[in-house]
Amino acid sequence: MRKFRWSHIYLTIVFLLLYLPIFYLIFYSFNTGTTMNQFTGFSLAHYQALFADSRLLIIVLNTFLLAFLSALIATMIGVLGAIGIYYNKKRWLKNTLLSFNNVLLVSPDVIIGASFLIFFTMIGSWFRSFHLGFISVLLSHCAFSVPIVVLMVLPKLQEMKDSMVDAARDLGANSWQVMKDIILPFLTPGIIAGYFMAFTYSLDDFAVTFFVTGNGFTTMSVEIYSRARQGIDLEINALSTLVFLFSLFLVIGYYFISKENRSKRLRKNRLKRKKADLT
Amino acid sequence: MTKTRKFYTFPYFVWLLLFVIAPVALIIYQSFFDMQGAFTLENYQTYFTSGKYLIMTLNSIWYAFLITLFTLLISYPTAYFLTKLKYKDLWLLLIILPTWINLLLKAYAFIGIFSIDGSVNHFLEFFGLGPTQLLFTDASFLVVATYIEIPFMIMPIYNALEEIDPSLVSASRDLGANSYQAFRRVIFPLSLSGVKSGVQAVFIPSLSLFMLTRLIGGNRVITLGTAIEQHFLITQNWGMGATIGVILIFAMFIVMLLTQEKKGRRIKK
């Protein structure tokens, strides 16, 4: 125990530093004053201001709606894509698809944002009714969430035994039934994890949204950016407290989902080992 | 059967074409046009001949290098000590949690912490160092960027360390290595794959953190990302912005090549 004391001190410092700014924000959200410099007393005034600020509340709702929808669409495309990649017979094609899949994951946000801006402007020049706004932001969020979903679902597909699909086919299932009754149920944990990730990526995104948002539509990140450029506004602190609590719930939810996945995998490995021992 | 499969994957291929291939092609295409929309190679010429852009690129790479170095120095021991903990899953989760908080909110917090009447200055004043201008300096930009990137470095290193077969370490100890030697000869080389992916995950975004340079760096630090944002959204010189974008994509490829895993060298479990 004594041996690890220094490491524990080090870890404590790192954890403190990681959480300090977040708790700093939360702490000052209860300040009676209007700055983050001096704590003059406890009040919920900034929360009241937040809940009275209908413009900000609409932006928050929009952000969540955007995250919900984009994650949903991205999950559908991503799951189909993962199945497409997995069942691709040609090895080189599989690898090519996988590297294309990862392009958006490794590209800097600015590049994604700028290239989507060119893309949407071009579409806008073809179709007069298309403007930068909710639709362009939604499409970009779907676009950068798809590869995340693919990466969350692929390992599950690799875990699946092909014999199950073969058995279902032998028993007379058509491809739709195989998909609905065998493949999709098996993939569910990966799909849920992918949806979660896509949801949080969308909530978090600033750089891409900033490029494709146009004039009419904003998300929370973009709004915080424009307010932060003007200085401290403790309403933002109140908002960040609520966002932090929400993230906490999401993380806990995600933790239990991934834990369930892991324990299943562990159990399976243990079973395999047992079988190997028996034979 | 193949027909239905093609039907399933159709949306995915549309996505690949519209949002992966087309945007990259468009950014390259755009880089050959000037502000009037005429075809030109001038953007590349301006980039490579004007000292302004080259110095900015070098600066940007230098800052990204510093950020990566600092995060690595902080993260490696953290990841290493984490693997030694009880309930390490839970602790790792606590490391990941701050990454789920919106980036802008974290940057915003530092505006309060570093401002002229902020906490750090109060602290400095206590030691008689007086209030100093902390916000809008290069140092504050480096601190905040490092802060933001730390979890992205810890995670891959932690995973690589976790993958190391403990029997390798015990074997080295049995063969007479002390803990330092075991670390240097066994643990560290085996964790390099994690370090590489961590460097990849930190260096490339560090080249393009434009909101931090605006909020914290006060436009004193201009990274490639800031320049692209400036050209696209402020001066509307898309051609030049796209040219810098192409340079950034190149930088990305170089980093990926340098940090690529060499196949076959990894020890199979």
Side-chain angles (χ1 to χ4, degrees):
Chain A
M1 196 63 223
R2 212 162 40 118
K3 219 171 101 190
F4 290 129
R5 222 173 44 191
W6 282 110
S7 71
H8 282 198
I9 290 171
Y10 183 83
L11 280 181
T12 314
I13 292 172
V14 171
F15 272 103
L16 278 180
L17 285 179
L18 274 179
Y19 280 93
L20 190 81
I22 297 162
F23 286 121
Y24 188 85
L25 275 186
I26 295 177
F27 178 69
Y28 277 104
S29 74
F30 298 108
N31 193 4
T32 38
T34 52
T35 61
M36 280 203 264
N37 303 332
Q38 225 149 23
F39 195 77
T40 45
F42 177 87
S43 96
L44 290 173
H46 302 292
Y47 288 87
Q48 278 166 351
L50 173 68
F51 283 108
D53 187 346
S54 55
R55 185 173 167 271
L56 192 59
L57 287 181
I58 287 171
I59 291 171
V60 172
L61 279 180
N62 273 336
T63 311
F64 275 95
L65 179 72
L66 182 75
F68 174 79
L69 277 180
S70 66
L72 193 69
I73 300 169
T75 308
M76 287 193 276
I77 301 175
V79 170
L80 296 178
I83 292 172
I85 292 176
Y86 179 72
Y87 282 109
N88 218 307
K89 298 263 162 17
K90 295 180 195 103
R91 204 179 169 75
W92 66 268
L93 198 59
K94 215 179 204 173
N95 287 334
T96 317
L97 282 176
L98 266 177
S99 10
F100 271 122
N101 188 62
N102 294 345
V103 167
L104 286 184
L105 283 181
V106 293
S107 309
D109 290 344
V110 189
I111 296 285
I112 302 177
S115 59
F116 283 5
L117 176 62
I118 303 176
F119 177 66
F120 287 127
T121 315
M122 204 179 71
I123 294 180
S125 68
W126 292 341
F127 304 100
R128 293 275 154 207
S129 55
F130 183 88
H131 295 291
L132 291 182
F134 180 74
I135 295 294
S136 61
V137 178
L138 178 69
L139 285 174
S140 354
H141 281 220
C142 293
F144 68 66
S145 301
V146 166
I148 302 158
V149 177
V150 172
L151 285 192
M152 299 303 250
V153 173
L154 261 184
K156 283 262 121 198
L157 268 169
Q158 275 147 4
E159 255 175 51
M160 191 176 68
K161 286 198 195 73
D162 289 331
S163 53
M164 287 211 301
V165 176
D166 295 337
R169 288 206 166 277
D170 288 345
L171 292 167
N174 59 33
S175 11
W176 167 240
Q177 285 170 320
V178 170
M179 183 70 117
K180 179 173 68 102
D181 295 329
I182 310 287
I183 299 180
L184 286 182
F186 192 86
L187 297 184
T188 306
I191 294 173
I192 293 174
Y195 182 86
F196 250 134
M197 285 312 250
F199 189 86
T200 50
Y201 264 64
S202 170
L203 275 190
D204 228 30
D205 180 72
F206 165 71
V208 178
T209 316
F210 191 62
F211 273 91
V212 295
T213 189
N215 287 326
F217 182 75
T218 45
T219 64
M220 217 156 57
S221 309
V222 177
E223 177 69 11
I224 293 168
Y225 178 73
S226 58
R227 287 199 187 194
R229 292 197 74 176
Q230 286 154 22
I232 303 289
D233 177 355
L234 291 187
E235 226 176 273
I236 295 293
N237 292 50
L239 179 65
S240 68
T241 308
L242 299 179
V243 173
F244 178 74
L245 288 177
F246 182 77
S247 312
L248 203 63
F249 281 121
L250 273 188
V251 171
I252 293 168
Y254 181 75
Y255 177 69
F256 280 111
I257 288 170
S258 60
K259 202 175 152 193
E260 193 187 319
N261 274 349
R262 212 170 326 161
S263 57
K264 260 184 203 157
R265 214 178 304 152
L266 275 180
R267 227 177 291 147
K268 221 200 274 157
N269 285 343
R270 225 171 283 147
L271 268 179
K272 246 186 237 164
R273 232 171 284 149
K274 256 184 206 158
K275 262 184 215 155
D277 287 345
L278 284 174
T279 49
Chain B
M1 184 167 160
T2 41
K3 215 181 202 175
T4 47
R5 201 151 284 157
K6 280 215 179 101
F7 172 73
Y8 286 144
T9 50
F10 180 71
Y12 183 73
F13 281 107
V14 171
W15 168 79
L16 269 183
L17 191 71
L18 288 185
F19 291 102
V20 179
I21 298 167
V24 175
L26 277 174
I27 213 162
I28 295 171
Y29 174 78
Q30 187 74 49
S31 71
F32 292 109
F33 287 90
D34 65 11
M35 283 176 92
Q36 278 73 43
F39 181 87
T40 173
L41 287 172
E42 212 178 297
N43 294 323
Y44 286 94
Q45 201 191 347
T46 321
Y47 179 84
F48 284 108
T49 51
S50 87
K52 197 178 75 181
Y53 284 111
L54 291 176
I55 288 172
M56 182 206 74
T57 311
L58 285 180
N59 253 334
S60 183
I61 291 172
W62 171 241
Y63 278 109
F65 169 76
L66 284 180
I67 294 166
T68 314
L69 184 73
F70 293 151
T71 31
L72 182 62
L73 288 179
I74 298 172
S75 303
Y76 197 95
T78 311
Y80 182 73
F81 295 145
L82 270 179
T83 58
K84 304 267 181 255
L85 288 181
K86 241 185 186 181
Y87 310 114
K88 45 192 168 186
D89 275 1
L90 193 71
W91 290 112
L92 186 71
L93 194 77
L94 283 175
I95 291 277
I96 299 171
L97 183 64
T99 66
W100 290 46
I101 311 293
N102 201 304
L103 178 72
L104 266 301
L105 287 177
K106 286 182 280 190
Y108 171 74
F110 277 100
I111 297 179
I113 294 172
F114 282 153
S115 69
I116 198 89
D117 300 314
S119 306
V120 176
N121 264 327
H122 279 305
F123 184 74
L124 288 177
E125 237 169 310
F126 184 74
F127 289 101
L129 291 169
T132 40
Q133 178 69 33
L134 296 168
L135 204 61
F136 310 136
T137 59
D138 306 358
S140 62
F141 169 70
L142 286 176
V143 170
V144 178
T146 306
Y147 166 80
I148 282 166
E149 300 292 353
I150 281 175
F152 299 104
M153 184 67 96
I154 294 180
M155 276 187 282
I157 298 178
Y158 173 88
N159 287 336
L161 286 168
E162 275 288 278
E163 266 179 30
I164 296 175
D165 193 340
S167 56
L168 288 172
V169 181
S170 6
S172 72
R173 298 302 296 262
D174 284 349
L175 292 166
N178 60 33
S179 48
Y180 169 72
Q181 285 167 325
F183 177 78
R184 204 176 75 96
R185 301 283 177 150
V186 180
I187 298 174
F188 186 70
L190 285 175
S191 66
L192 268 182
S193 64
V195 173
K196 281 178 176 175
S197 29
V199 167
Q200 217 175 69
V202 170
F203 190 85
I204 296 167
S206 300
L207 286 174
S208 59
L209 283 168
F210 75 87
M211 64 302 241
L212 280 193
T213 60
R214 291 230 190 285
L215 290 177
I216 308 287
N219 281 343
R220 283 168 48 88
V221 188
I222 309 260
T223 62
L224 289 174
T226 323
I228 294 172
E229 188 252 354
Q230 181 99 12
H231 279 307
F232 268 93
L233 298 177
I234 297 168
T235 57
Q236 299 279 332
N237 186 354
W238 285 20
M240 198 62 222
T243 308
I244 301 171
V246 173
I247 305 282
L248 185 53
I249 293 174
F250 257 110
M252 188 181 99
F253 269 113
I254 293 168
V255 174
M256 305 269 275
L257 281 178
L258 288 177
T259 54
Q260 204 178 35
E261 273 296 296
K262 286 197 183 73
K263 278 192 183 128
R265 264 185 58 188
R266 252 175 108 179
I267 293 166
K268 287 207 179 94
K269 279 211 280 184

